[in-house]
């Protein structure tokens, strides 16, 4: 065993772009990795992508590209998002990389040579969406019990891993090592699963059915089952069977973070695989809950998928990271709503940390020549603030070790509120008036020092903004160190304050509520009219409406209105301006150059104070909206009918 900290996320399928669930696990791993680095522990953080298997193959077919191309294009979305979200992974593994494929093949060959894998014929109900066989008994209404999708009957020769041999051992291991599966109720879930007889695991797919995978080294007509391939990433990335020194340095992993839906693969398949290989098990597999959106399951069909890029573009990466970590109690499901996001943002960040920094910086600017003042002896009030802030340090540490980051953040926010109260109590502005300079300096130093500690505690969650805060306090832009946290009084006096700008501009909640209400009303009115009930009209009425093609010349956002875009369009020789409610669905640059369809003879109207000369056509279903466009290359101004 080693005392290093190795943390992993699941590797994400490259069949689609990342959503909030992917962003969450990766941010959580990043926050934990940053805390452990701050605590001076050797830390390694791995994430990556799962690029083989049927899901990716299907996506490639749908998108008319090769599987490799599908993977190469989609992986960029993940990598760019991680950059935007300030993720500090030490490695990013793709399962199509030779370094991974080699290790999977080494493992397969070794298990085959040692009789842990055997060939057998197999018949069963196969679910494409879950990529696995089910027994007759497991089906619900003849369908896949997990996805509810249809299954197909398949008979074929396949290769099996003798997983059943390890059932008794695994039950014992889980009972003897309660930290292996966390939280506790997930451990009970796995133990419940293990009360049923455990089957051997089919680890091959005939190439005739699925050619996209790693070839079995002992059977060239087969590829490896995607999960048997994917789980190996956690050790292939650190050199299992190739670089023993590196492997020993990091393995066993400290935390393997997963979502609750992939518990069985990580707490049954994975430990039995490791046991058969003769490798130790990870210390903890930690399953978090799911993000619901407005209390509903997120799904592409309802169109309520939260796009992490969009949120961090609009509110800032740090605020997005903060909300996710503060809102979810690890293990349970959590609800994501824009309103509660904005409310927490205003309370904790804008009115809390941001407000405190701007108060302290302004007073120091004005009264201390912009330099951190020299404090005198601490009075009772100062000691009280010091104690309140320093109490948050061990609380945060306990929260990290106990995987209760939400609690840790609550403790820090308590400290921030104590800072704001301290200002109200000590009223430094009256000390200015009464000329009590030494006392004023002590109060301002104490407040600034409290903020330095707060910034250190929050840094792993809000790395960008807490660096800004530290710069404002005259510190450098390097990350805080553990000694910065544990010792009160290390803020250098005499240091010149950096430029202070509002860290977290306040969100206008009333306006946000209005926007949300308006969007809801628009959705409801769209849903009011069932598709098959229509008022019939005369053909002449239809001909009254002039539909024309138009080319989008310019598209720009409208300040303060996040649902509309202002478009300049060309309709034949004429130029017009229209206001379109598409900002939640299209980026301005996606629209420029496109040929759309507009109602050309609408009376001009004023929308949000702007002239709008026409209306564009779009198809709306649920929360999705797609522009109506024309097939082929058609000039603008052409009549449609
Ligand atoms: N490729 C597999 C994992 C292989 S690990 C060896 C996979 N990929 S995934 O892209 O479908 O999902 C990755 C993770 O996202 C899973 O941990 C899953 O639980 C998580 N989430 C998917 N939807 C989610 C939410 N709505 N909320 C939180 N996490 C969710 O599974």
């Amino acid at each position: 065993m080693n005392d290093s900290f190795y943390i992993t996320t699941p590797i994400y399928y490259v069949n689609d772009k990342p959503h909030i669930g992917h962003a969450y696990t990766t941010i959580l791993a990043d926050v934990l990795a940053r805390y452990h680095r701050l605590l001076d522990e050797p830390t390694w953080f791995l994430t990556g992508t799962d690029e083989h298997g049927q899901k990716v193959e299907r996506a490639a077919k749908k998108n008319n590209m090769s599987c490799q191309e599908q993977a190469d294009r989609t992986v960029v979305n993940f990598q760019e998002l991680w950059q935007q979200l300030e993720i500090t992974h030490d490695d990013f593994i793709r399962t199509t990389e030779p370094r991974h494929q080699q290790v999977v093949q080494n493992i397969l060959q070794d298990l085959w040579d040692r009789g842990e894998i055997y060939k057998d014929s197999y018949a069963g109900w196969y679910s494409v969406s879950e990529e696995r066989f089910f027994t007759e008994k497991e089906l619900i209404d003849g369908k896949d019990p997990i996805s509810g999708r249809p299954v197909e009957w398949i008979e074929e020769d396949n290769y099996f891993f003798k997983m059943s041999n390890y059932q008794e051992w695994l039950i014992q291991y889980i009972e003897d090592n309660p930290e292996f599966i966390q939280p506790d109720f997930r451990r009970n879930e796995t133990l419940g699963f293990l009360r049923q007889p455990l089957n051997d695991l089919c680890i091959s797919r005939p190439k005739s059915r699925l050619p996209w995978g790693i070839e079995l080294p002992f059977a060239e007509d087969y590829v490896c089952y995607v999960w048997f391939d994917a789980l190996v990433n956690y050790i292939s990335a650190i050199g299992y069977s190739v670089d023993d020194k590196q492997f020993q340095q990091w393995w066993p992993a400290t935390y393997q973070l997963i979502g609750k839906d992939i518990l069985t693969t990580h707490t049954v398949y994975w430990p039995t695989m490791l046991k058969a290989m003769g490798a130790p098990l990870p210390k903890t597999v930690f399953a978090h809950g799911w993000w619901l959106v407005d209390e509903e399951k997120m799904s592409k069909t309802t169109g309520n998928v939260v796009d992490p890029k969009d949120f961090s573009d609009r509110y800032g990466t740090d605020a997005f990271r903060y909300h996710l970590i503060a809102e979810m109690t690890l293990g349970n499901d959590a609800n994501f709503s824009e309103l509660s996001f904005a409310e927490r943002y205003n309370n904790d960040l804008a009115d809390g940390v941001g407000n405190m920094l701007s108060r302290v910086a302004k007073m120091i600017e004005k009264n201390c020549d912009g330099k951190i003042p020299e404090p005198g002896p601490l009075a009772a009030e100062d000691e009280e603030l010091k104690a309140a802030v320093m109490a948050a340090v061990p609380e945060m540490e306990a929260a990290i070790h106990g995987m209760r980051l939400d609690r840790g953040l609550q403790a820090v926010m308590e400290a921030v509120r104590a800072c704001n109260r301290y200002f109200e109590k000590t009223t430094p502005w009256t000390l200015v008036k009464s000329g009590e300079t030494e006392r004023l300096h002590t109060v301002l130093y104490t407040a600034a020092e409290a903020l330095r500690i707060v910034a250190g505690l929050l840094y792993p969650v809000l790395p960008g903004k807490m660096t800004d805060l530290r710069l404002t306090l005259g510190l450098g832009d390097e990350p805080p160190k553990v000694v910065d946290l544990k010792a009160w009084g290390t803020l250098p006096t005499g240091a010149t304050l950096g430029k202070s700008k509002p860290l977290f501009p306040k969100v206008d909640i009333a306006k946000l509520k209005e926007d949300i209400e308006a969007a809801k009303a628009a959705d409801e009115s769209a849903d009011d009219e069932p598709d098959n009930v229509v008022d019939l009209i005369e053909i002449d009425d239809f001909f009254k409406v002039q539909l024309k093609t138009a080319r989008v010349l310019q598209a720009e956002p409208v300040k303060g209105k996040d649902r509309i875009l202002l478009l300049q369009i060309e309709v034949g020789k004429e130029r017009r301006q229209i206001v379109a409610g598409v900002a939640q669905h299209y980026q301005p640059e996606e629209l420029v150059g496109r040929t759309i369809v507009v109602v050309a003879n609408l009376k001009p109207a004023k929308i949000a104070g702007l002239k709008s000369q026409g209306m564009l056509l779009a198809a709306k279903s649920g929360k999705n909206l797609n522009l109506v466009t024309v097939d082929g290359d058609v000039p603008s101004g052409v009549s449609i009918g």
Side-chain angles (χ1 to χ4, degrees):
M1 288 270 169
N2 50 51
D3 56 5
S4 56
F5 183 78
Y6 175 34
I7 189 162
T8 64
T9 71
I11 47 171
Y12 307 112
Y13 286 127
V14 284
N15 56 343
D16 209 344
K17 61 179 190 171
H19 58 58
I20 188 180
H22 305 123
Y24 174 68
T25 323
T26 314
I27 289 172
L28 175 63
D30 185 62
V31 167
L32 290 165
R34 283 176 185 265
Y35 271 118
H36 285 271
R37 286 189 203 116
L38 187 63
L39 295 171
D40 261 348
E41 289 171 29
T43 298
W44 196 254
F45 166 18
L46 172 72
T47 189
T49 40
D50 190 352
E51 305 195 347
H52 291 126
Q54 207 137 24
K55 280 205 171 103
V56 175
E57 196 215 29
R58 297 228 150 165
K61 273 204 185 119
K62 194 177 121 212
N63 297 329
N64 237 335
M65 48 178 82
S66 71
C67 294
Q68 190 62 53
E69 210 181 333
Q70 166 74 28
D72 290 347
R73 287 193 182 197
T74 315
V75 71
V76 178
N77 296 327
F78 285 92
Q79 288 168 332
E80 285 179 355
L81 181 65
W82 300 159
Q83 210 170 358
Q84 173 169 358
L85 297 180
E86 307 257 7
I87 303 299
T88 53
H89 46 283
D90 296 290
D91 193 3
F92 185 104
I93 188 151
R94 303 180 55 185
T95 53
T96 50
E97 285 176 73
R99 62 167 173 156
H100 171 75
Q101 309 215 30
Q102 184 57 56
V103 175
V104 172
Q105 288 195 326
N106 291 350
I107 292 170
L108 286 165
Q109 186 67 53
D110 172 54
L111 295 182
W112 173 249
D113 292 345
R114 292 195 290 109
E116 295 282 349
I117 291 175
Y118 64 95
K119 187 174 183 181
D120 201 0
S121 71
Y122 191 79
W125 293 106
Y126 187 75
S127 155
V128 174
S129 77
E130 291 305 307
E131 298 185 45
R132 54 167 282 202
F133 287 95
F134 288 99
T135 61
E136 185 84 40
K137 267 213 292 204
E138 286 173 312
L139 301 182
I140 297 180
D141 294 337
K143 296 198 171 136
D144 169 344
I146 297 174
S147 67
R149 302 241 170 97
V151 285
E152 351 174 350
W153 181 256
I154 289 180
E155 289 181 34
E156 61 195 19
D157 275 354
N158 262 312
Y159 290 83
F160 293 83
F161 163 51
K162 289 186 180 165
M163 191 159 74
S164 60
N165 276 358
Y166 297 104
Q167 177 163 15
E168 289 313 312
W169 163 81
L170 181 59
I171 294 173
Q172 197 59 47
Y173 185 90
I174 295 173
E175 283 173 350
D176 292 346
N177 296 275
E179 75 291 350
F180 172 52
I181 305 174
Q182 283 293 317
D184 293 348
F185 68 97
R186 297 286 174 212
R187 176 170 65 248
N188 293 334
E189 204 175 306
T190 299
L191 285 172
F193 176 85
L194 288 169
R195 254 176 242 130
Q196 307 291 324
L198 188 61
N199 294 327
D200 286 344
L201 183 67
C202 177
I203 54 120
S204 63
R205 298 292 180 261
K207 281 189 184 168
S208 52
R209 181 148 64 80
L210 176 70
W212 182 235
I214 299 176
E215 190 178 289
L216 297 191
F218 44 83
E220 60 179 18
D221 293 338
Y222 289 83
V223 295
C224 181
Y225 167 47
V226 67
W227 272 102
F228 204 90
D229 154 0
L231 287 161
V232 168
N233 91 86
Y234 302 130
I235 54 175
S236 66
I238 51 165
Y240 178 75
S241 76
V242 211
D243 179 348
D244 203 45
K245 196 161 157 260
Q246 193 198 11
F247 180 68
Q248 297 298 338
Q249 185 185 356
W250 301 114
W251 194 257
T254 321
Y255 278 115
Q256 299 218 258
L257 302 179
I258 58 167
K260 62 180 183 181
D261 55 315
I262 53 176
L263 185 71
T264 310
T265 49
H266 281 81
T267 59
V268 178
Y269 298 6
W270 182 221
T272 53
M273 284 165 67
L274 286 164
K275 176 72 180 163
M277 285 177 223
L281 269 46
K283 288 175 204 158
T284 299
V285 173
F286 195 103
H288 63 70
W290 271 37
W291 283 96
L292 306 174
V293 175
D294 296 327
E295 307 292 351
E296 279 179 48
K297 194 172 163 187
M298 213 165 57
S299 102
K300 266 206 260 176
T301 6
T302 22
N304 64 349
V305 178
V306 176
D307 177 357
K309 179 173 178 345
D310 170 57
F311 250 84
S312 92
D313 281 344
R314 287 194 290 134
Y315 290 97
T317 291
D318 287 67
F320 181 63
R321 290 171 59 109
Y322 177 76
H323 184 76
L324 294 192
I325 300 298
E327 186 73 19
M328 186 176 263
T329 297
L330 269 167
N332 301 344
D333 288 349
N335 186 47
F336 189 91
S337 93
E338 185 159 0
L339 193 57
S340 59
F341 178 104
E343 280 167 348
R344 181 191 287 287
Y345 171 97
N346 275 359
N347 288 340
D348 293 358
L349 302 180
D351 293 343
V353 188
N355 180 43
M356 188 61 206
L357 178 69
S358 92
R359 290 171 104 179
V360 174
K362 266 187 207 139
M363 293 290 300
I364 295 181
E365 252 349 305
K366 261 200 186 154
N367 304 296
C368 311
D369 247 359
K371 292 193 171 58
I372 300 287
E374 189 75 47
L378 299 195
E381 290 157 324
D382 315 328
E383 291 288 358
E384 202 184 305
L385 178 65
K386 175 178 161 185
V389 171
M390 294 314 281
V393 177
E395 285 205 50
M396 183 50 109
E397 231 179 301
I400 297 159
H401 295 297
M403 291 295 252
R404 281 303 307 264
L405 293 172
D406 55 333
R407 274 201 197 142
L409 291 179
Q410 277 166 20
V412 182
M413 285 307 143
E414 270 306 313
V416 170
R417 281 189 286 274
C419 290
N420 274 309
R421 278 198 307 272
Y422 172 75
F423 243 49
E424 301 302 327
K425 255 199 250 166
T426 51
T427 55
W429 46 93
T430 57
L431 299 174
V432 174
K433 276 196 198 135
S434 58
E436 291 166 77
T437 314
E438 192 191 70
R439 180 73 196 124
L440 173 71
H441 286 180
T442 309
V443 167
L444 294 180
Y445 183 88
T446 305
E449 176 61 353
L451 276 173
R452 181 186 66 81
I453 304 274
V454 163
L457 291 173
L458 292 180
Y459 175 83
V461 183
L462 300 128
K465 293 292 180 181
M466 291 306 105
T467 301
D468 291 348
L469 192 159
R470 286 169 57 84
L471 285 168
T472 303
L473 293 182
L475 297 160
D477 61 4
E478 66 283 359
K481 299 204 171 53
V482 64
V483 348
D484 283 331
L485 281 187
K486 299 209 165 162
W488 176 272
T490 67
L491 179 65
T493 57
T496 309
L497 288 202
K499 253 213 163 106
S500 123
K501 50 175 192 274
L503 271 193
F504 302 104
K506 224 167 153 163
V507 174
D508 182 344
I509 299 275
K511 189 183 148 287
L512 178 63
K513 277 190 184 156
E514 262 172 37
D515 286 353
I516 293 173
E517 282 309 313
K520 249 199 224 149
D523 277 350
E524 275 160 18
S525 70
D527 295 343
D528 276 353
E529 200 90 343
D531 288 348
N532 53 352
V533 182
V534 288
D535 285 333
L536 297 179
I537 56 163
E538 299 295 334
I539 186 118
D540 287 350
D541 290 334
F542 173 71
F543 284 124
K544 280 187 197 153
V545 180
Q546 277 183 26
L547 298 179
K548 286 192 174 175
T549 57
R551 180 106 52 231
V552 180
L553 303 174
Q554 258 180 44
E556 53 185 336
V558 178
K559 212 168 160 226
K561 305 275 167 207
D562 44 16
R563 298 196 183 261
I564 56 178
L565 292 179
L566 183 63
L567 308 186
Q568 305 299 331
I569 58 170
E570 168 202 89
V571 187
K573 289 207 173 100
E574 200 188 337
R575 262 188 85 146
R576 292 187 183 193
Q577 161 171 308
I578 61 174
V579 176
V582 296
Q584 305 273 305
H585 308 275
Y586 289 90
Q587 296 296 323
E589 59 277 11
E590 283 178 82
L591 296 178
V592 176
R594 288 183 64 164
T595 303
I596 56 172
V597 176
V598 294
V599 181
N601 59 338
L602 263 191
K603 280 192 188 146
K606 268 212 159 164
I607 301 176
L610 297 161
K611 187 162 77 170
S612 184
Q613 305 159 288
M615 181 178 106
L616 60 68
L617 297 192
K620 195 150 197 293
S621 78
K623 287 183 179 161
N624 289 330
L625 180 139
N626 295 80
L627 287 181
V628 173
T629 54
V630 281
D631 189 24
D633 198 12
V634 180
S636 76
V638 173
S639 290
I640 294 182

